[in-house]
Amino acid sequence: MEYLKRNKSIFIDKEAIFALLLCQEGLLYPVTHLMNEAEMNEVDSTGLYKQKSFPFSFILAPSGRRNEEVIKNAKEGEIINIICERKVYGYIKTSQTFKINKQERLFKIMSGDIYSPKAKQILHRLGNYAICGDYEIIISQDDIFHDRISKSKIPLLKKSLKIKKATSMVLNASPVTRIHEQIFRLILDNNELLVLMLLREQNEEFLDFEIRKKCLEYVIENFLPKNKVLIVPLDDIYLFAGAHGIILESIISQNMGCDKIMIGQNYPNLTLYYDNQKIHSIFDTAKDIKIKVKIVNEFFYCNECYGIVSNKTCPHGQHHHITYDSGFIQGMLKSGLIPPTLLVRKEVSAKILSHIFPDRFSSFIKKYSALFANRGIIEDINEEDFYIKIADLYKMDNLN
């Protein structure tokens, strides 16, 4: 460890670590290394790398006065430590350093949307100089990055289970709804494996990654063929911020061994437009991305059909439709209310409410637990059980 102390260091954040890990794992192929200045200029001007689509250059240009001084003065062959949150995660062997145009890079990453709050965050973390060279990021088992997505995991799983077709889907699941379940089942009708890339946001405002994953696992465990669904975390980093982020998600899915990626019609970065009476998307500009892209129709509950349907299958007007608006559902949960079970399963709502309002009804439960029907034996009711029993009471509406 003594040699680490003698090396100069650059300081980067978790987003940069995860980006470096994606490349190191081979999930950004054909990109396999940090690009030099010539490669950066070529990719940013053509959108191609080795004649294959890659939306913008893959470089490391961290902000900060200390980083700039280290990068500007780094010599070819010099070893530079890579530090994140006071921990050495690896090193880079310098081959070249060069100046970048921050505004141009921001424009490329954000697909032109340079005035949004996200764009301001990315601009703040961009430095004036980039460094390239061979690097290595080393992750321990107790580290936050240890459960990252792996290039070999899905191909090995396909081989062991003799699976031919695997489909990926990127989702937030905040929370997982009945619509999600409907889409999962539709995918599994025609595929042997569904890979759910669950987004792990850097600053999660409402539901953190662990509770979203817990709810998703509950649904898979109890209502889906669990051996056919795999959850992998995908950190929602700056690379995926703009409209071209969806191209990168497809490249990652392809490199993981998936044959198809499913994208919702309302996916934030899916740019749809009409030309000559034909619908187009950003994928029409992509070159040599072999993975098939399937856009899923929007689903809703129809009070005439008494079920979850889409515009293609429902003949009734919009006034009969109940949409699954995540903002509305989140608003109910934030207010401590159980969303209707036709939107979210009561068990999912119970997990979330007991998570965001811990010990909310502890004294209330002890006093009024006798009001709930039981199996004729003494039962201990926890916060999660309480919400489920309340939801069951709401369904007892057969009195006149």
Side-chain angles (χ1 to χ4, degrees):
M1 295 295 291
E2 189 64 31
Y3 76 95
L4 292 175
K5 297 179 182 178
R6 295 196 300 266
N7 294 340
K8 295 177 182 177
S9 301
I10 56 173
F11 299 82
I12 64 177
D13 57 19
K14 291 179 181 178
E15 292 193 55
I17 289 286
F18 190 77
L20 292 172
L21 283 171
L22 285 176
C23 183
Q24 181 172 289
E25 185 71 23
L27 289 166
L28 298 182
Y29 184 84
V31 174
T32 58
H33 59 271
L34 287 167
M35 295 179 181
N36 58 34
E37 186 174 14
E39 290 172 321
M40 176 190 72
N41 291 332
E42 180 184 355
V43 173
D44 286 342
S45 62
T46 66
L48 298 173
Y49 180 72
K50 294 186 177 179
Q51 301 305 309
K52 295 181 180 180
S53 284
F54 207 84
F56 46 82
S57 56
F58 184 71
I59 62 173
L60 180 61
S63 64
R65 185 183 304 171
R66 190 181 344 180
N67 283 336
E68 183 168 317
E69 285 301 313
V70 169
I71 293 173
K72 278 173 62 176
N73 297 309
K75 303 293 189 295
E76 184 178 354
E78 184 176 3
I79 304 296
I80 307 291
N81 293 336
I82 296 174
I83 296 179
C84 176
E85 297 186 348
R86 300 183 180 181
K87 178 179 177 180
V88 177
Y89 273 90
Y91 66 88
I92 182 169
K93 184 177 180 181
T94 309
S95 63
Q96 187 186 60
T97 64
F98 50 94
K99 190 172 176 59
I100 69 166
N101 185 314
K102 295 201 302 184
Q103 290 292 339
E104 287 184 6
R105 176 143 183 86
L106 179 67
F107 190 88
K108 281 290 180 183
I109 293 173
M110 294 302 298
S111 310
D113 177 20
I114 61 173
Y115 299 108
S116 66
K118 184 66 176 178
K120 292 179 181 178
Q121 292 174 13
I122 293 175
L123 183 63
H124 178 73
R125 65 188 303 281
L126 276 176
N128 295 304
Y129 286 84
I131 184 170
C132 70
D134 295 333
Y135 71 88
E136 184 178 9
I137 302 296
I138 302 167
I139 302 299
S140 59
Q141 284 298 314
D142 60 346
D143 197 272
I144 185 175
F145 301 102
H146 82 278
D147 64 343
R148 66 191 186 278
I149 56 180
S150 167
K151 185 178 181 179
S152 60
K153 188 172 184 177
I154 294 169
L156 287 174
L157 187 61
K158 287 173 70 176
K159 185 177 181 180
S160 65
L161 298 178
K162 297 181 180 179
I163 289 171
K164 293 182 179 179
K165 293 182 180 180
T167 292
S168 70
M169 182 177 179
V170 180
L171 74 164
N172 186 282
S174 182
V176 57
T177 68
R178 299 276 190 167
I179 292 294
H180 287 110
E181 292 183 42
Q182 178 79 355
I183 294 171
F184 299 161
R185 292 190 179 93
L186 285 174
I187 295 172
L188 289 171
D189 276 341
N190 299 298
N191 295 273
E192 298 159 297
L193 180 66
L194 170 59
V195 180
L196 297 176
M197 294 194 287
L198 185 61
L199 291 173
R200 179 165 50 196
E201 299 173 8
Q202 302 304 310
N203 298 302
E204 297 180 301
E205 296 180 356
F206 179 42
L207 297 179
D208 61 44
F209 176 82
E210 291 304 324
I211 185 62
R212 289 185 289 115
K213 183 183 178 185
K214 182 180 178 181
C215 292
L216 196 53
E217 287 173 338
Y218 173 82
V219 170
I220 293 168
E221 182 77 21
N222 292 277
F223 305 105
L224 293 167
K226 58 185 178 182
N227 61 328
K228 292 186 176 183
V229 186
L230 178 67
I231 302 173
V232 294
L234 178 65
D235 283 51
D236 190 15
I237 59 175
Y238 68 98
L239 291 179
F240 310 121
H244 287 99
I246 205 166
I247 297 289
L248 286 177
E249 292 167 357
S250 301
I251 290 173
I252 291 170
S253 296
Q254 179 176 296
N255 286 325
M256 280 196 301
C258 295
D259 313 283
K260 187 186 297 182
I261 182 170
M262 304 291 284
I263 298 167
Q265 206 169 23
N266 295 326
Y267 192 79
N269 291 333
L270 179 62
T271 305
L272 294 175
Y273 61 93
Y274 286 88
D275 185 29
N276 294 326
Q277 297 184 330
K278 184 179 179 181
I279 192 168
H280 296 269
S281 77
I282 194 168
F283 289 98
D284 294 303
T285 65
K287 183 178 180 181
D288 204 31
I289 294 180
K290 297 178 181 178
I291 193 169
K292 294 180 180 178
V293 180
K294 174 72 174 176
I295 298 174
V296 184
N297 291 323
E298 182 182 4
F299 288 92
F300 43 81
Y301 182 88
C302 176
N303 63 9
E304 288 290 315
C305 296
Y306 290 100
I308 296 173
V309 292
S310 71
N311 282 321
K312 288 188 175 182
T313 59
C314 177
H316 306 111
Q318 288 187 354
H319 56 288
H320 290 292
H321 299 161
I322 299 173
T323 59
Y324 285 66
D325 184 275
S326 61
F328 172 73
I329 296 172
Q330 288 178 8
M332 291 195 71
L333 291 168
K334 287 177 182 177
S335 300
L337 301 174
I338 301 176
T341 53
L342 64 86
L343 299 177
V344 181
R345 287 190 181 274
K346 62 186 179 183
E347 296 87 355
V348 170
S349 296
K351 290 181 187 301
I352 293 171
L353 288 170
S354 59
H355 173 75
I356 60 180
F357 298 107
D359 301 321
R360 184 186 186 191
F361 295 117
S362 55
S363 59
F364 186 88
I365 290 171
K366 291 177 183 178
K367 187 175 182 180
Y368 294 103
S369 60
L371 293 177
F372 299 117
N374 55 49
R375 294 188 297 271
I377 58 176
I378 298 174
E379 293 180 293
D380 290 327
I381 299 175
N382 58 31
E383 295 271 328
E384 196 172 312
D385 297 329
F386 176 77
Y387 287 109
I388 293 173
K389 288 182 178 292
I390 287 293
D392 288 337
L393 286 179
Y394 285 141
K395 292 194 295 185
M396 294 180 178
D397 57 356
N398 57 340
L399 297 175
N400 292 322

